[in-house]
Amino acid sequence: MSRPIASLSMDLDNKWAYLRAAGRPDWAERPGYLPLVIDRIVDVLGELDLPLTVFIVGRDLAGDGNDESEAIRQFGQLQSWEPANHSLNHLPWMHTMEAAEIADEIETTHHRILAATGRRPLGFRGPGFSCPDEVLRVLAEHDYVYDASIFPTSIAPIARMVFLIKSDLKGEQREKAKKLYGGFSSLRQPNRPFRRAVDGHQLWEMPVTVMPITRTPIHFSYFTYLASFSTLAAKTYLRTALRMCKLTNTPPSLLLHPPDFLGHDDDSDMAYFPAMNMSRQEKLSIVRWGLKLYAESFDVSLMIDQLKAADRSIASSIQTQKHTPQPSTVTN
Ligand SMILES: [Zn+2]
């Protein structure tokens, strides 16, 4: 029986972004773990022959003295990968920004990705799953094919509360963070890709898939968080989730984060992050298991390829755009 198409992505959030979210002043020195973690990701995904769409934060690319471009290019060792845009500064409150600031967050990263990889990003995901109309307008203007900033979960209000309790954010930053994860409105959003017209441009929306019906998260950080309590419960949960996607005809798009490949023995600074009480070996073992199950259950592809399979006009529209390299998924 042929496997239904699915996709796999990673939000390449660097250590400094997590420390800043936790209110730690040393984030400003921009500590990073990308060379270590990318090496490991490439190993694990390589073993399973899995592709990856990578949402890159512009601040980690050339221009700020903190150039992790070389590490990011290592994704080229995978069977295929797709660079995508995850904003310049990873500020999870794009809904509070002026139009010019939003444009800069997207455009600067766009140009840095193109310069570092030679490939034009076609997808965007807002940090903190924030997706205001102005973001969509900028994406349309730059011929993006999709936005992936919707997280249609039932536990967004809980996740936000846990974030606020665990972090030391104060004052204005704390007020802005109260809108994290899209607020209650995210629950009314579809749990499958859909198209919308923005300024006469067709833009696909690719939500981070949640469990059909219950709308609980099924991204890998949640899966490893469950596994930090019970491996059996986590495995049963993921198995059920993938089965439910098949039963409801929901094409899944699952999400990874760098801490899914790190244990407490790698980085004690990350201790506050969910599932960072696990050792490297425990973490890698459960993540490998989950990825293998995903690969056996679905035809796992890049996000852009999952969309091309759903909408054949995408491939030709990418080709006819001016001033762009060849379709980004053809070559590595
Ligand atoms: Zn992120």
Side-chain angles (χ1 to χ4, degrees):
M1 209 176 102
S2 73
R3 292 163 304 157
I5 195 157
S7 62
L8 184 64
S9 70
M10 161 161 283
D11 288 357
L12 196 63
D13 306 334
N14 207 346
K15 180 173 170 176
W16 58 263
Y18 286 116
L19 295 188
R20 186 183 58 198
R24 292 232 331 220
D26 50 344
W27 79 268
E29 291 149 37
R30 300 212 178 259
Y33 49 41
L34 295 189
L36 167 85
V37 86
I38 291 174
D39 209 38
R40 217 170 270 173
I41 295 162
V42 166
D43 264 6
V44 173
L45 297 191
E47 274 167 35
L48 298 165
D49 203 24
L50 282 168
L52 188 64
T53 295
V54 185
F55 290 88
I56 300 167
V57 177
R59 202 50 84 178
D60 288 318
L61 294 173
D64 301 275
N66 183 32
D67 189 1
E68 308 243 42
S69 310
E70 190 48 49
I72 288 170
R73 280 193 288 269
Q74 299 306 312
F75 285 116
Q77 294 174 41
L78 295 174
Q79 55 123 306
S80 64
W81 82 290
E82 173 198 2
N85 188 330
H86 196 34
S87 83
L88 179 60
N89 290 297
H90 203 270
L91 294 166
W93 35 74
M94 291 186 84
H95 47 276
T96 67
M97 290 177 187
E98 300 291 331
E101 196 182 354
I102 287 179
D104 183 49
E105 284 283 327
I106 296 171
E107 289 166 1
T108 305
T109 300
H110 183 91
H111 295 303
R112 288 186 184 186
I113 290 174
L114 186 55
T117 68
R119 295 164 62 181
R120 192 174 79 86
L122 302 170
F124 173 84
R125 180 176 289 137
F129 305 106
S130 169
C131 176
D133 290 348
E134 186 56 29
V135 165
L136 303 179
R137 271 195 287 274
V138 176
L139 298 181
E141 189 188 323
H142 292 279
D143 285 325
Y144 272 61
V145 175
Y146 66 96
D147 172 71
S149 309
I150 290 179
F151 182 33
T153 179
S154 57
I155 72 155
I158 302 168
R160 194 166 47 243
M161 192 177 72
V162 170
F163 175 88
L164 286 169
I165 291 170
K166 287 203 167 193
S167 81
D168 291 328
L169 290 181
K170 305 250 160 33
E172 193 193 0
Q173 286 208 327
R174 194 170 182 87
E175 282 308 305
K176 287 175 173 175
K178 286 183 179 169
K179 281 195 181 167
L180 280 177
Y181 310 117
F184 285 99
S185 62
S186 57
L187 242 187
R188 292 193 296 270
Q189 300 280 5
N191 189 26
R192 57 179 70 242
F194 63 97
R195 236 184 304 208
R196 52 173 148 204
V198 182
D199 293 346
H201 180 101
Q202 284 278 13
L203 192 69
W204 277 89
E205 197 59 63
M206 296 275 283
V208 176
T209 309
V210 293
M211 175 89 94
I213 300 166
T214 65
R215 296 275 181 133
T216 45
I218 48 178
H219 58 71
F220 278 86
S221 298
Y222 190 74
F223 168 64
T224 57
Y225 171 69
L226 291 180
S228 69
F229 298 99
S230 161
T231 308
L232 180 66
K235 288 181 173 178
T236 307
Y237 180 76
L238 188 63
R239 238 191 236 115
T240 307
L242 296 183
R243 207 170 286 150
M244 288 291 290
C245 286
K246 278 189 176 168
L247 282 173
T248 58
N249 230 348
T250 305
S253 182
L254 297 194
L255 166 62
L256 291 158
H257 291 96
D260 299 337
F261 296 82
L262 296 171
H264 60 73
D265 35 353
D266 284 311
D267 202 328
S268 54
D269 283 340
M270 295 289 294
Y272 91 101
F273 196 79
M276 282 305 286
N277 56 343
M278 296 170 92
S279 70
R280 173 194 325 149
Q281 205 189 354
E282 287 171 322
K283 187 72 80 67
L284 290 180
S285 153
I286 191 74
V287 165
R288 261 195 194 96
W289 184 92
L291 288 169
K292 189 159 178 277
L293 178 72
Y294 193 34
E296 285 165 358
S297 313
F298 289 91
D299 176 12
V300 180
S301 64
L302 301 173
M303 290 181 70
I304 188 68
D305 288 342
Q306 187 179 25
L307 275 181
K308 282 180 187 168
D311 178 353
R312 292 190 190 285
S313 72
I314 289 176
S316 53
S317 81
I318 295 170
Q319 256 161 342
T320 53
Q321 281 162 14
K322 285 173 283 177
H323 311 302
T324 57
Q326 285 302 295
S328 62
T329 53
V330 174
T331 52
N332 277 305

